[in-house]
Amino acid sequence: MLDHSSFAMIGRILLLGSIILASCSPKGSDTRFNMLFDQEQNEHGVAVIDMDYTDALDSGFVVPSIRQVPDGRFSFRYSATSADPQSKGYRYKLYYVNDSYRFAHAGPDGAQHPLAHENFYGSWEVAAEGFRPAAVGSDGRVVIEDRFRIRGDPRDEPGHRDTTGQQARWSRNPRVGEYRFMLVLIPAEQFEKAPPPSAVMNIAQQENGRFVDPFWYWLHGPGSQDEHAQVMIASERLQVRARPDLGAGVYIRSEVEVDPIAFTEQCGNAPGFQKNSPFEQFIHYVDPSTRFANIPLIADVLANEYTPEDHDRYRCLFPEDRMVVVRPRTTDTPCATVSSDPERHSLELRNPASTHGNWRKENVGVRSRHGLAYGKYQVKCKLTRLLNDSDMWVGITNAIWLLYDGAPDSLRRECGNGGYLRNYYGGGDERVPRVAYSEIDFEILKTTAYCPSRTFPPTFPQTFAATDDRSAWAMSTSEARTDNPGMITVACTNWDMACRAPENFGHGCRPVEHNGKTFVSHRWDENYRALTQKSEASDSELFGGPYYWFEIDWRPEEIIWRIGPELDRMREVGYMDRSVTEISNVQMQLIITQEYHNTRWWPGTPYEQGFIPFPAKDLVGEILEVRIE
Amino acid sequence: MNIRRALVLVVSLVVLIGWVIMFSPFGSDAGDSSSEAGNMAWAPLTIPPEEQVTVPTSDPPPFDRACLFRSGHTTAVGDFRPNLHFDMESSADGSLLSARHAHSGNTAYRIVRGQEYTPAIEGNVSTIPATLAKVAVGLWVYSDTTIGKFTIVADAHRGEEQLTWMGKDLDPVGSGAGKWMRFQAEFDLRDLHLSGDDRVRIYFWNADKQELFIDDMDVVFRIDGVSGKPSGTPFDTEARTIGVAPPPFARFAMIAPVDPHEHGVVPGQLAPSNTSDPFPVAKGYSGRLRYVPGNATGELVSTGGRTEYLVRAWCPELGKDLFGFERVLISPGVNGLRIIGFDVDIDPSNGQALVAKDPRPMGAECSITPPSP
């Protein structure tokens, strides 16, 4: 997979090539092609712009917006002395492509890469518009000054429509990352004699059932051999970032009636939130199968009011008929457990405390409202601690994850070799060529590693309800409990719906090498829908300080999970590529949650959820910043 | 031959023979007993003397003596030991144990070169008082060379008929030479519906017949849930018609610590019995505290015998639930109820229960009141 520096190198080579091409062609040696960005530049000299979230829910992101640049369009300029002053003029077309998150334009055989049609590229506002005319001035010079913008669904695809049939540009939003710009100029006479293929002029069209990547066509394909075409890559690039304002409130969906009693000035379903809030409260779907019996004890585990010994003793001795059956709950009063701070530009999550009779292990979370494809999702947060001083787990899983947004025409690319399993909820299922479901996770909790397989599962002893013998109820002989106190498991998961297409698809424990490090992936069996890598980290380091960074670097051909105390001190904790797992190509939304899991989901976990008390105090987490770039 | 030369020759031979004996792979006193570097997260364990007591099993050596401190529990019915821990320090056939390598203690079980199968540990289902759900095995294994095919095997028989054969191979990844490796397996037996005199066996298949060492091995014949714990119907918080809602917990606060020594709870001395009588707890409240060891908590019981509140004797100052001991003494104190918790050790010479030193006994005078309405 090409990394950013490789892309940059290719870009420079192409630029040099284009300038050489320009200078060799009968087009004059004073050719200039520049993108006129008035934005701030990053450390690499690349113009930077943040996505404008205003109106982006309905209209999709536009880059730039009218609030960012006059008229809401970028300008570019081309000038050159025409080689033929008598020329009838030229035809030109500007293309742009997201360079950071794309497949190669060309395959090894020089043909268009099989997945290049998925790249995010565009041209004029109306996708069907072809080349525009440019006249030669009386001074023999050609000067083009034009404008454009980057917007969602740049190919005007018929599938990207909402339920009313209206164009839904948000269903294929512009990607974050760097953009490259290409100008193609053809003498008018030549254009009339032999115009480019219609699918190159009109990017909404397909050729042989597939979109033609214009960057492939003009840089590697037949267009690169066209001696009449002048193909130029601008030296200027544009970096697009997303910086949702966490202080802009939390929206509450109201497709079903909700109790507004907890609504505040910063959280609710008023039109202002609906229009402007980049996050909404996330309401988990909790399957009835996740019910479990719990001791009715309410205690502040993080204040050391409960120990592993207590857990073991209650597990063995607490009467079943005094336990309570619950399932992880979701809120009855939206906004009671999430809030937005407009001054600190942060979000707060709370798993609420319980009282007798109102026993609740309640999940809480927020979800971004704008879907994006690919990107480096960086979350700065201080989520709740998971362990107390005696290594007792509080029962929470801190999760930072991406989930498909279900946008129109957003099915994952076809899975060869049998297809995807249709549903995410497990068990036997039919296989289908395409599915919508897509998820990439950080899940952090106290559990045990599945790999190497020779060490799983931990050998827990059979316990006894023997009051007079502590060792009868203790699970402390298991290495899963005594290994690595203070450490929690960071589980990195890609839900590939058991697509068998990757060449190294398999099950069990399988190593993947990256940057000199070995990551071991685990899949339970051939029909398990997810691949997981686990590593250990210190609970106090991740959640005991003022904040920590979590990053999901989702790329077309690989996913990298990183964590660190600062962005320049990140370390890789997970790596997967297309050789081991099918990587999603559909838009996803960011979700951050503190949630309770039935520990049946995590075999080998040294604590049972049902013998962890209900919380006596709210468990608080803060999200301090979200960057997507 | 010159005498001097002969003497030199003899001395040299003696020295040579001595070297050979010292470094011979077959000498039981040769080599060190510490584990090799490799698994730095797991340090070698030393076993304190009181935990070296063994209990005989019905299995052949080296599985004929299990460590009492981790194998001591038997089911109330059938006297079955579901947990077996073998530290490989003791066996009727000492020749099976070697001091050349040990994960803990002094010796490990040595599978000799050429040996394909080990003896088996056998569980008779009829002696297991509940449905056998799984059998789990965990051990440490060592080889001087890369380990080839090595399998934990569980099979089940009904008479002469083999009902199942299940094996887990040691994953070849990381099966390096010269380091102790953890190897664990679990076999699900529920679908077999074992009953009667069906037998389950655990053994090892050393297909490559190489020399291997095994130490600190656990075998668990597991039933679902906690052995001996009565079943019951929990309260369904959604349906609210299934089960009975549990009582709330009373308020509990420590007034002052208490020295257990001053109340007859002294480590090494005869251990008092659990207090079973209920005690009044507070003025203005007629209920009494009753400690029920099998319930993990105490109860405040009304004069009519109804449990009104549960009691958790959590003392944040001590960092301990005073009911979290093997025995609990309750008596009236000066300012509140006095609760002392302690563990017991059984004197093997006479079966007497003595107050244990570890964990140390703890006590406090406490205030117990109904919760706020």
Side-chain angles (χ1 to χ4, degrees):
Chain A
M1 172 63 190
L2 296 175
D3 61 12
H4 170 75
S5 61
S6 300
F7 285 146
M9 177 61 72
I10 291 169
R12 292 190 196 100
I13 291 170
L14 290 170
L15 173 61
L16 180 62
S18 65
I19 291 173
I20 292 170
L21 183 68
S23 63
C24 290
S25 72
K27 302 168 185 74
S29 60
D30 60 348
T31 303
R32 299 284 182 270
F33 167 47
N34 296 103
M35 308 302 296
L36 305 175
F37 298 128
D38 194 23
Q39 316 325 107
E40 282 186 25
Q41 295 186 350
N42 65 19
E43 65 272 25
H44 304 294
V46 175
V48 178
I49 190 167
D50 291 341
M51 283 178 166
D52 183 353
Y53 276 72
T54 311
D55 296 326
L57 278 162
D58 298 323
S59 310
F61 290 111
V62 288
V63 181
S65 77
I66 201 161
R67 283 157 289 277
Q68 297 174 308
V69 168
D71 193 36
R73 278 159 176 73
F74 288 125
S75 301
F76 66 92
R77 190 173 192 279
Y78 168 88
S79 64
T81 301
S82 176
D84 177 6
Q86 307 303 317
S87 165
K88 285 189 193 174
Y90 295 84
R91 299 293 187 95
Y92 71 95
K93 189 170 171 72
L94 179 82
Y95 301 93
Y96 58 81
V97 69
N98 180 285
D99 220 19
S100 297
Y101 300 104
R102 65 169 175 85
F103 292 96
H105 300 300
D109 58 357
Q112 179 171 315
H113 187 284
L115 296 176
H117 62 281
E118 292 187 12
N119 293 343
F120 189 88
Y121 59 82
S123 180
W124 306 127
E125 188 83 8
V126 175
E129 182 182 355
F131 281 66
R132 292 177 177 174
V136 178
S138 56
D139 59 356
R141 290 182 58 74
V142 180
V143 177
I144 298 170
E145 290 176 334
D146 207 339
R147 303 166 73 79
F148 78 101
R149 66 178 181 172
I150 300 169
R151 57 155 175 76
D153 186 25
R155 297 189 296 218
D156 288 339
E157 295 175 54
H160 289 291
R161 297 285 187 268
D162 63 21
T163 52
T164 67
Q166 297 296 309
Q167 204 161 26
R169 298 203 180 277
W170 56 268
S171 64
R172 192 167 186 249
N173 266 321
R175 296 176 188 176
V176 295
E178 280 195 12
Y179 284 79
R180 225 170 8 132
F181 303 91
M182 176 172 71
L183 183 68
V184 178
L185 211 73
I186 302 174
E189 302 91 342
Q190 188 58 37
F191 186 90
E192 282 159 22
K193 251 193 272 185
S198 51
V200 175
M201 288 200 293
N202 172 3
I203 62 170
Q205 282 196 5
Q206 298 187 18
E207 188 175 279
N208 298 323
R210 200 178 59 168
F211 290 109
V212 178
D213 172 6
F215 284 77
W216 166 77
Y217 182 85
W218 291 113
L219 299 176
H220 305 277
S224 66
Q225 308 301 316
D226 185 345
E227 61 180 1
H228 302 287
Q230 185 180 7
V231 179
M232 293 151 287
I233 302 290
S235 60
E236 296 84 7
R237 299 158 73 88
L238 178 71
Q239 183 190 9
V240 175
R241 310 182 308 194
R243 296 278 195 273
D245 180 6
L246 307 185
V250 178
Y251 175 63
I252 303 299
R253 282 181 176 266
S254 302
E255 287 90 352
V256 295
E257 198 173 335
V258 296
D259 184 348
I261 196 166
F263 285 4
T264 67
E265 285 184 0
Q266 294 304 320
C267 179
N269 62 1
F273 295 121
Q274 185 181 23
K275 190 170 146 63
N276 297 321
S277 298
F279 279 87
E280 63 189 35
Q281 181 157 8
F282 177 68
I283 305 296
H284 289 76
Y285 166 68
V286 183
D287 192 86
S289 68
T290 61
R291 279 156 56 91
F292 55 91
N294 209 102
I295 51 174
L297 178 65
I298 300 169
D300 188 353
V301 175
L302 292 181
N304 299 313
E305 288 183 359
Y306 197 73
T307 67
E309 285 179 351
D310 292 328
H311 168 277
D312 294 349
R313 186 165 58 88
Y314 275 69
R315 185 176 167 275
C316 285
L317 301 178
F318 194 86
E320 284 189 14
D321 60 8
R322 288 213 172 125
M323 295 180 68
V324 294
V325 177
V326 294
R327 84 169 93 170
R329 286 177 59 165
T330 54
T331 187
D332 298 323
T333 52
C335 297
T337 54
V338 298
S339 61
S340 167
D341 187 330
E343 293 186 13
R344 296 179 69 230
H345 299 279
S346 62
L347 291 165
E348 186 183 85
L349 313 176
R350 288 176 173 267
N351 305 91
S354 293
T355 54
H356 178 77
N358 188 21
W359 300 283
R360 47 203 310 164
K361 286 190 172 177
E362 184 173 302
N363 297 335
V364 65
V366 290
R367 177 177 188 161
S368 72
R369 301 176 67 208
H370 303 78
L372 292 170
Y374 307 116
K376 200 179 281 192
Y377 293 74
Q378 299 170 327
V379 177
K380 177 182 181 182
C381 57
K382 180 180 167 57
L383 300 181
T384 179
R385 288 287 300 268
L386 299 179
L387 303 176
N388 69 13
D389 295 343
S390 64
D391 211 46
M392 183 63 218
W393 180 38
V394 75
I396 286 280
T397 296
N398 285 336
I400 295 159
W401 44 305
L402 304 176
L403 185 65
Y404 77 111
D405 70 355
D409 203 36
S410 290
L411 294 179
R412 295 173 73 153
R413 74 173 72 89
E414 191 166 318
C415 167
N417 199 4
Y420 300 97
L421 286 172
R422 179 190 283 278
N423 293 302
Y424 79 93
Y425 41 72
D429 206 356
E430 64 169 326
R431 285 188 176 263
V432 294
R434 304 182 73 184
V435 290
Y437 196 87
S438 172
E439 184 179 329
I440 300 173
D441 302 329
F442 264 120
E443 289 173 291
I444 306 164
L445 69 158
K446 184 74 173 180
T447 188
T448 191
Y450 301 146
C451 299
S453 60
R454 60 178 169 79
T455 64
F456 185 82
T459 312
F460 291 116
Q462 175 65 51
T463 49
F464 292 76
T467 59
D468 216 24
D469 189 348
R470 176 185 302 278
S471 63
W473 65 65
M475 292 172 74
S476 60
T477 55
S478 163
E479 282 73 21
R481 176 73 69 77
T482 55
D483 282 351
N484 303 327
M487 302 296 275
I488 48 178
T489 294
V490 178
C492 304
T493 300
N494 179 45
W495 288 74
D496 61 10
M497 305 305 283
C499 172
R500 299 178 189 142
E503 63 192 83
N504 294 325
F505 176 89
H507 66 276
C509 295
R510 300 165 75 95
V512 176
E513 303 289 327
H514 184 247
N515 283 347
K517 204 169 161 185
T518 301
F519 300 92
V520 183
S521 304
H522 178 267
R523 188 190 304 270
W524 290 108
D525 56 54
E526 298 255 319
N527 290 326
Y528 197 75
R529 292 142 171 83
L531 194 67
T532 298
Q533 296 173 350
K534 288 181 173 176
S535 60
E536 299 241 296
S538 159
D539 177 54
S540 62
E541 179 183 338
L542 267 56
F543 304 120
Y547 57 81
Y548 215 74
W549 284 93
F550 298 84
E551 177 182 290
I552 297 176
D553 188 355
W554 168 32
R555 298 165 172 267
E557 298 194 82
E558 59 187 3
I559 306 169
I560 308 166
W561 289 261
R562 301 183 181 92
I563 62 174
E566 299 292 353
L567 283 177
D568 60 358
R569 289 164 58 195
M570 303 290 279
R571 62 184 186 274
E572 290 184 5
V573 291
Y575 179 81
M576 298 181 191
D577 66 15
R578 290 187 69 213
S579 72
V580 300
T581 186
E582 185 64 22
I583 295 178
S584 173
N585 63 324
V586 300
Q587 288 190 162
M588 292 203 266
Q589 292 161 322
L590 173 67
I591 304 176
I592 302 157
T593 49
Q594 296 179 169
E595 48 193 61
Y596 289 96
H597 291 175
N598 187 322
T599 40
R600 281 203 308 267
W601 296 359
W602 298 93
T605 296
Y607 300 107
E608 287 187 34
Q609 183 67 258
F611 294 97
I612 299 173
F614 292 94
K617 292 188 179 163
D618 293 356
L619 297 170
V620 182
E622 265 197 301
I623 305 159
L624 300 168
E625 193 174 343
V626 171
R627 301 184 183 193
I628 311 168
E629 52 186 65
Chain B
M1 180 189 285
N2 182 294
I3 290 177
R4 185 179 295 166
R5 275 190 192 168
L7 276 173
V8 168
L9 184 60
V10 166
V11 168
S12 300
L13 278 173
V14 167
V15 169
L16 178 62
I17 291 168
W19 274 91
V20 168
I21 290 172
M22 248 197 345
F23 294 107
S24 164
F26 303 104
S28 60
D29 295 323
D32 63 82
S33 60
S34 61
S35 62
E36 295 295 318
N39 290 314
M40 298 304 290
W42 291 313
L45 303 170
T46 53
I47 302 173
E50 62 270 20
E51 293 176 356
Q52 293 176 16
V53 178
T54 61
V55 59
T57 72
S58 57
D59 297 310
F63 307 124
D64 55 320
R65 294 178 190 174
C67 293
L68 180 64
F69 89 103
R70 281 165 71 166
S71 315
H73 303 294
T74 57
T75 55
V77 176
D79 200 30
F80 179 75
R81 294 181 193 282
N83 300 316
L84 296 172
H85 178 76
F86 302 96
D87 63 4
M88 305 304 182
E89 298 294 312
S90 161
S91 173
D93 186 350
S95 69
L96 298 178
L97 305 180
S98 167
R100 254 181 61 216
H101 300 291
H103 179 256
S104 73
N106 299 308
T107 54
Y109 166 39
R110 175 171 166 248
I111 302 174
V112 299
R113 196 169 291 121
Q115 179 183 354
E116 187 173 358
Y117 296 99
T118 67
I121 295 160
E122 189 167 301
N124 190 308
V125 175
S126 66
T127 64
I128 302 170
T131 305
L132 181 61
K134 296 181 181 182
V135 62
V137 183
L139 64 143
W140 290 89
V141 59
Y142 178 98
S143 173
D144 287 319
T145 58
T146 300
I147 299 178
K149 188 166 166 63
F150 181 69
T151 308
I152 300 175
V153 177
D155 67 18
H157 286 80
R158 179 168 295 157
E160 296 302 314
E161 179 196 358
Q162 185 180 70
L163 299 176
T164 191
W165 187 102
M166 293 178 281
K168 179 175 179 180
D169 295 335
L170 180 63
D171 189 332
V173 174
S175 302
K179 59 179 182 177
W180 284 98
M181 284 189 298
R182 185 72 185 163
F183 188 16
Q184 296 176 145
E186 190 172 82
F187 303 103
D188 199 313
L189 304 172
R190 276 176 282 226
D191 289 345
L192 296 176
H193 305 293
L194 298 172
S195 63
D197 289 326
D198 294 343
R199 303 181 317 281
V200 176
R201 298 190 310 161
I202 302 294
Y203 58 94
F204 302 103
W205 178 27
N206 177 26
D208 287 346
K209 301 182 185 177
Q210 62 184 123
E211 183 184 58
L212 294 168
F213 296 83
I214 289 175
D215 204 356
D216 295 323
M217 177 174 145
D218 293 285
V219 175
V220 180
F221 293 91
R222 198 192 310 287
I223 65 169
D224 278 328
V226 177
S227 176
K229 184 176 182 182
S231 61
T233 303
F235 176 62
D236 191 320
T237 59
E238 292 181 40
R240 303 197 85 86
T241 55
I242 301 171
V244 175
F249 279 83
R251 281 191 299 182
F252 183 96
M254 183 174 109
I255 299 171
V258 157
D259 183 354
H261 283 64
E262 296 175 4
H263 301 279
V265 180
V266 181
Q269 295 190 3
L270 212 59
S273 299
N274 280 311
T275 302
S276 56
D277 293 335
F279 281 89
V281 294
K283 284 186 186 162
Y285 174 65
S286 60
R288 292 170 171 247
L289 173 68
R290 180 175 66 194
Y291 172 61
V292 184
N295 288 0
T297 64
E299 299 173 349
L300 290 186
V301 182
S302 70
T303 50
R306 185 174 67 87
T307 300
E308 294 187 327
Y309 305 102
L310 301 179
V311 179
R312 181 180 186 231
W314 172 255
C315 297
E317 301 87 343
L318 302 178
K320 195 79 180 174
D321 177 351
L322 292 177
F323 291 150
F325 288 89
E326 292 168 355
R327 291 193 186 176
V328 175
L329 278 188
I330 303 173
S331 57
V334 174
N335 299 306
L337 216 52
R338 182 187 306 124
I339 300 176
I340 297 173
F342 58 97
D343 274 14
V344 296
D345 290 332
I346 303 300
D347 186 337
S349 65
N350 55 22
Q352 283 186 325
L354 308 176
V355 176
K357 190 169 60 172
D358 182 35
R360 67 180 178 86
M362 283 188 183
E365 284 199 5
C366 315
S367 153
I368 305 173
T369 52
S372 312

